[in-house]
């Protein structure tokens, strides 16, 4: 008994894809893969408490040096204490990018870079280090002003930025002019930054532990909807986000 092999596509399995009716003429047809596409999300613990606690501790160390609580010879020791802040905030930034929070990730990455620059300049005693750090802090001031304009719904980040802006201004001017009162002012503002960052970190940690807001943070707009909304809100426009779409 002989069998006749079926021609390719006889059962429909090997049929070439049929172009969609709305496909533009002359373009190569690509099959619609949406029905077989799966996007996997991986929940992570929020890295923001670590980021804010790191800001607080590093700000206490640098502020104490500026207030004269340490001798001038303690600059290297302070720089070495601040250096780990770079690694910790860089880690926070990487995790925040993975959590699809570009604002938090960008802010923490820039904070990480600022601690690294400070630690390297202060620990090596680089020539003209203070004026260079002064210009660097004024550049951070411009960055912070732009970030503050878009972070208002994320009130914890916004508050840390708002109190950091005058400190960056005072530190920058102190480095360029050498004015002692500006250095002391920057130190006092550094302690204020530490207090605000410590509060934000503690409030976010309590919120994650109890799955509800315990201490007021003041989220609004999209930031409030992201925390209080259902799963549909979290997945809205997911196909257009970085990592899913074809290009950044």
């Amino acid at each position: 008994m002989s069998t006749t092999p079926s021609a390719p596509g006889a059962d429909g399995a090997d049929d070439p894809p049929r172009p969609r009716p709305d496909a533009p003429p002359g373009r190569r047809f690509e099959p619609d893969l949406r029905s077989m596409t799966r996007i996997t999300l991986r929940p992570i613990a929020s890295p923001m408490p670590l980021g804010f606690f790191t800001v607080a501790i590093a700000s206490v160390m640098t502020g104490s040096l500026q207030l004269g609580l340490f001798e001038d010879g303690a600059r290297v020791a302070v720089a070495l204490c601040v250096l780990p802040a770079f690694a910790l905030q860089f880690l926070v930034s990487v995790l925040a990018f993975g959590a699809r929070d570009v604002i938090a990730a960008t802010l923490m990455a820039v904070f990480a870079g600022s601690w690294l620059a400070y630690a390297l300049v202060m620990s090596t005693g680089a020539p003209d280090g203070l004026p260079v750090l002064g210009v660097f802090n004024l550049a951070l001031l411009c960055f912070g002003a732009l970030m503050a304009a878009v972070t208002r719904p994320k009130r914890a980040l916004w508050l840390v930025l708002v109190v950091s802006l005058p400190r960056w201004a005072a530190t920058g001017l102190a480095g360029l002019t050498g004015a002692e009162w500006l250095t002391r002012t920057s130190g006092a503002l550094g302690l204020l930054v530490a207090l605000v960052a410590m509060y934000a970190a503690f409030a976010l940690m309590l919120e994650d532990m109890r799955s509800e807001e315990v201490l007021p943070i003041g989220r609004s707009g999209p930031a409030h909807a992201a925390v209080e909304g259902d799963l549909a809100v979290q997945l809205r426009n997911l196909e257009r986000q970085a990592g899913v779409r074809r290009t950044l």
Side-chain angles (χ1 to χ4, degrees), residues 48-49 52 156-157 159-160 195-205 217:
M48 296 311 296
F52 285 133
L157 283 173
L159 285 175
V160 172
L195 287 175
V196 174
M198 195 79 71
Y199 173 85
F202 187 61
L204 289 174
M205 186 172 290
I217 297 179

Side-chain angles (χ1 to χ4, degrees), residues 51-139:
F52 285 133
F53 275 130
T54 303
V55 170
I57 295 171
S59 296
V60 167
M61 298 306 299
T62 56
S64 298
L65 179 64
Q66 291 174 313
L67 286 172
L69 301 181
F70 303 130
E71 300 293 335
D72 287 342
R75 288 186 176 184
V76 175
V78 171
L80 293 176
C81 288
V82 169
L83 184 58
F86 158 70
L88 292 175
Q89 293 209 268
F90 181 74
L91 172 63
V92 172
S93 173
V94 171
L95 293 175
F97 276 119
R100 301 181 293 144
D101 193 332
V102 66
I103 293 177
T106 301
L107 182 63
M108 289 296 156
V110 172
F111 267 122
S114 68
W115 297 130
L116 178 61
Y118 175 88
L120 292 177
V121 170
M122 298 298 284
S123 63
T124 59
D128 295 325
L130 291 180
V132 170
L133 285 178
V135 175
F136 182 72
N137 277 276
L138 292 179

Side-chain angles (χ1 to χ4, degrees), residues 114-236:
S114 68
W115 297 130
L116 178 61
Y118 175 88
L120 292 177
V121 170
M122 298 298 284
S123 63
T124 59
D128 295 325
L130 291 180
V132 170
L133 285 178
V135 175
F136 182 72
N137 277 276
L138 292 179
L140 285 177
L141 175 64
C142 298
F143 160 79
L146 294 174
M147 288 292 291
V150 297
T151 58
R152 191 176 182 87
K154 302 172 73 67
R155 200 57 58 88
L157 283 173
W158 183 77
L159 285 175
V160 172
L161 270 174
V162 165
V163 295
S164 295
L165 292 178
R167 193 202 181 188
W168 285 330
T171 304
L173 294 175
L176 292 176
T177 64
E180 189 67 19
W181 71 272
L182 282 172
T183 301
R184 296 287 187 263
T185 301
S186 177
L189 290 171
L191 298 184
L192 178 61
V193 171
L195 287 175
V196 174
M198 195 79 71
Y199 173 85
F202 187 61
L204 289 174
M205 186 172 290
L206 283 178
E207 182 180 83
D208 265 17
M209 290 175 61
R210 302 188 184 181
S211 299
E212 62 180 1
E213 186 178 276
V214 180
L215 296 175
I217 297 179
R219 290 188 183 93
S220 62
H224 181 266
V227 174
E228 300 295 335
D230 57 16
L231 184 60
V233 174
Q234 314 303 314
L235 303 181
R236 186 178 297 161

